[in-house]
Amino acid sequence: MGKRSKGEGAIYLRGDGRWEAQLRIGVGRRKSVYGRTRREVLGKLREERWRLKRGLPVSSRKLTVAAFLESWLEVVRGRVRESTLESYELNARRVSAELGEVPLCSLSPALIQATYQHLLRRGLSAYSVLQVHRLLHRALGHAFHLGLVKRNPVLLVYPPRPQRRPTTALTAQQLLFLLDRTRGDRLFALWVLLSSAGLRIGEALGLRWRDVDLVTGRISVNQALQRRRGAGLVFVEPKTTRSRRAIELTQRAVDALADHYRRQALRRLLTPSWRDSGLVFTNLKGCAMQPHQANVELTRALTTAGLPLIRVHDLRHTTATVMLEAGIHPKLVQELLGHKTIATTLDTYSHVMPALHGQAVRVLDHWLTDSGARTGATSVSTYWLGQAVR
């Protein structure tokens, strides 16, 4: 057989004519690789040793789905937002409960499909199972690139298709009525800002006075407030790169924020236990406000006004719906909301599109008439805006 080199490990010729090499992968654990020639098995041994030194799981048939997901979560930790990691961990536990003991290399599309059906029968929603599917798709894609599986079996599986939750929003008239009824309330400026600037609730509650310029009428979104498991309220980066944005305020929002600043300054003087957090919207002691408390206060305001009950996040939907119905270009709405792509905006507010299509047809009809052709493009724009305001 010849003398083996230092660090090669145990290499020998088996009785069946194949070469085998062994690598120690833990206390009392060894990994065997096989090849038709001594050179081939040496190459496999070096590859497995390289994986082991870098903390990667070795491509052993004993590597289970649960063990791989555990190592994969360590890889993505620090690369994704904390809330995303928490979602990954939750769905990894769901997968491990069903498929944890299955060898990674034996995971098949049929087994994954059956698991989805079992989760649905257990009462998990279609959206939750879709989240499981997305986790497996990403994790097994990583396993494929590492050479741990020959293909990504999730690509051959049909995930459930949850029904999209319809967006709920107030009409322009209902929104104006709400703002008229809550004028002077402690959170009036919050309702104005959420319904005119398109902020997410976390972005609004993370807004600091140093991010507000009442002279130019602009705010800068640089952080968001988020509740994190085990850590309470924390400030995080905006959701996407486009979420970090500057927003020009309506005059009503500027006036509401100016009045809110004066009221907060007075409350600071009258509250001995006040803590100056620098935040625009706080609790009664100056600390960060719990996001669920905003929902409680909005429900109280809507009930008092006799309006339909919506979530705080639906005020953001109200902003987008009113703007789109007024004929404002979806690209501008996307930038205001901080959506990553315009496709997200169009998909989320697809229910508004039929009305816009009707307006477009009426504009085209007007332009194709003799009077429309004579007045030209200027009258087209005027007609569009006039129809939108009605």
Side-chain angles (χ1 to χ4, degrees):
M1 294 196 315
K3 184 179 180 181
R4 68 173 184 256
S5 302
K6 182 180 179 181
E8 280 186 354
I11 304 175
Y12 55 90
L13 183 63
R14 293 163 49 95
D16 59 5
R18 291 186 300 164
W19 285 85
E20 178 180 353
Q22 290 188 347
L23 174 69
R24 187 186 299 276
I25 59 176
V27 179
R29 296 178 59 205
R30 290 181 178 273
K31 157 69 180 172
S32 293
V33 292
Y34 305 92
R36 290 174 296 178
T37 66
R38 191 172 190 276
R39 181 185 296 273
E40 180 183 352
V41 83
L42 273 175
K44 291 183 178 181
L45 185 63
R46 281 193 292 268
E47 181 180 347
E48 297 301 338
R49 186 177 289 114
W50 180 88
R51 291 178 184 277
L52 190 62
K53 286 182 177 179
R54 285 155 181 79
L56 299 173
V58 294
S59 54
S60 170
R61 294 188 64 83
K62 294 183 180 179
L63 178 64
T64 63
V65 171
F68 169 72
L69 288 177
E70 184 178 351
S71 65
W72 178 77
L73 287 172
E74 290 303 315
V75 172
V76 299
R77 190 181 303 276
R79 294 173 176 266
V80 297
R81 290 167 62 91
E82 194 67 28
S83 57
T84 302
L85 181 63
E86 289 180 6
S87 174
Y88 284 169
E89 290 173 339
L90 169 64
N91 288 299
R93 289 194 296 271
R94 288 169 172 166
V95 172
S96 295
E98 301 288 335
L99 301 169
E101 298 304 315
V102 176
L104 183 65
C105 59
S106 300
L107 194 59
S108 66
L111 194 54
I112 296 173
Q113 192 77 70
T115 299
Y116 291 172
Q117 299 307 121
H118 183 235
L119 291 174
L120 290 170
R121 287 194 298 270
R122 281 180 47 197
L124 215 59
S125 70
Y127 179 77
S128 295
V129 178
L130 181 60
Q131 294 298 97
V132 170
H133 172 79
R134 289 171 176 168
L135 167 90
L136 277 175
H137 183 278
R138 183 167 181 181
L140 294 179
H142 184 68
F144 172 76
H145 290 300
L146 292 178
L148 299 178
V149 292
K150 294 182 179 179
R151 64 178 179 178
N152 186 343
V154 178
L155 296 176
L156 303 176
V157 176
Y158 291 109
R161 298 181 62 180
Q163 292 185 343
R164 177 179 291 275
R165 181 185 183 275
T167 57
T168 54
L170 299 177
T171 65
Q173 291 74 19
Q174 289 172 332
L175 175 61
L176 289 174
F177 186 68
L178 172 67
L179 296 181
D180 286 342
R181 291 296 300 268
T182 56
R183 189 188 304 274
D185 290 356
R186 186 174 73 89
L187 295 179
F188 172 69
L190 178 60
W191 312 145
V192 173
L193 202 60
L194 289 173
S195 60
S196 62
L199 295 179
R200 301 175 177 89
I201 183 59
E203 294 171 343
L205 297 184
L207 191 65
R208 297 161 294 191
W209 283 114
R210 71 186 190 193
D211 300 321
V212 178
D213 190 335
L214 295 177
V215 176
T216 61
R218 295 172 70 88
I219 61 173
S220 298
V221 179
N222 296 314
Q223 66 175 15
L225 184 68
Q226 185 180 91
R227 171 166 284 284
R228 184 175 295 172
R229 185 182 60 190
L233 294 177
V234 295
F235 294 102
V236 298
E237 292 288 316
K239 187 174 182 180
T240 67
T241 53
R242 282 193 173 272
S243 297
R244 187 182 290 275
R245 61 202 187 278
I247 299 175
E248 188 168 348
L249 300 175
T250 63
Q251 187 57 50
R252 186 167 196 170
V254 172
D255 294 341
L257 284 171
D259 183 64
H260 183 75
Y261 181 82
R262 290 189 292 269
R263 289 170 178 266
Q264 191 181 88
L266 179 60
R267 190 176 300 110
R268 184 187 301 114
L269 293 175
L270 298 177
T271 307
S273 58
W274 183 271
R275 295 183 60 183
D276 196 359
S277 62
L279 296 172
V280 175
F281 301 106
T282 68
N283 61 18
L284 295 176
K285 293 186 177 182
C287 300
M289 184 177 176
Q290 298 281 354
H292 79 272
Q293 188 60 37
N295 272 301
V296 171
E297 296 295 338
L298 179 61
T299 298
R300 182 180 294 117
L302 290 168
T303 302
T304 302
L307 293 171
L309 298 183
I310 63 172
R311 305 168 303 165
V312 164
H313 190 72
D314 294 329
L315 288 177
R316 172 176 160 89
H317 293 323
T318 299
T319 306
T321 301
V322 170
M323 292 178 69
L324 289 170
E325 289 178 343
I328 296 176
H329 196 286
K331 182 65 178 177
L332 298 178
V333 178
Q334 173 210 341
E335 293 176 352
L336 178 72
L337 299 181
H339 283 161
K340 189 173 182 178
T341 66
I342 194 171
T344 302
T345 308
L346 295 175
D347 188 38
T348 304
Y349 300 101
S350 58
H351 63 287
V352 184
M353 295 302 120
L356 299 185
H357 293 162
Q359 290 183 8
V361 170
R362 290 193 293 274
V363 170
L364 186 59
D365 275 340
H366 176 76
W367 190 82
L368 291 176
T369 62
D370 290 339
S371 60
R374 284 195 300 271
T375 54
T378 301
S379 67
V380 172
S381 300
T382 303
Y383 177 82
W384 176 273
L385 291 174
Q387 293 296 317
V389 171
R390 295 175 195 173

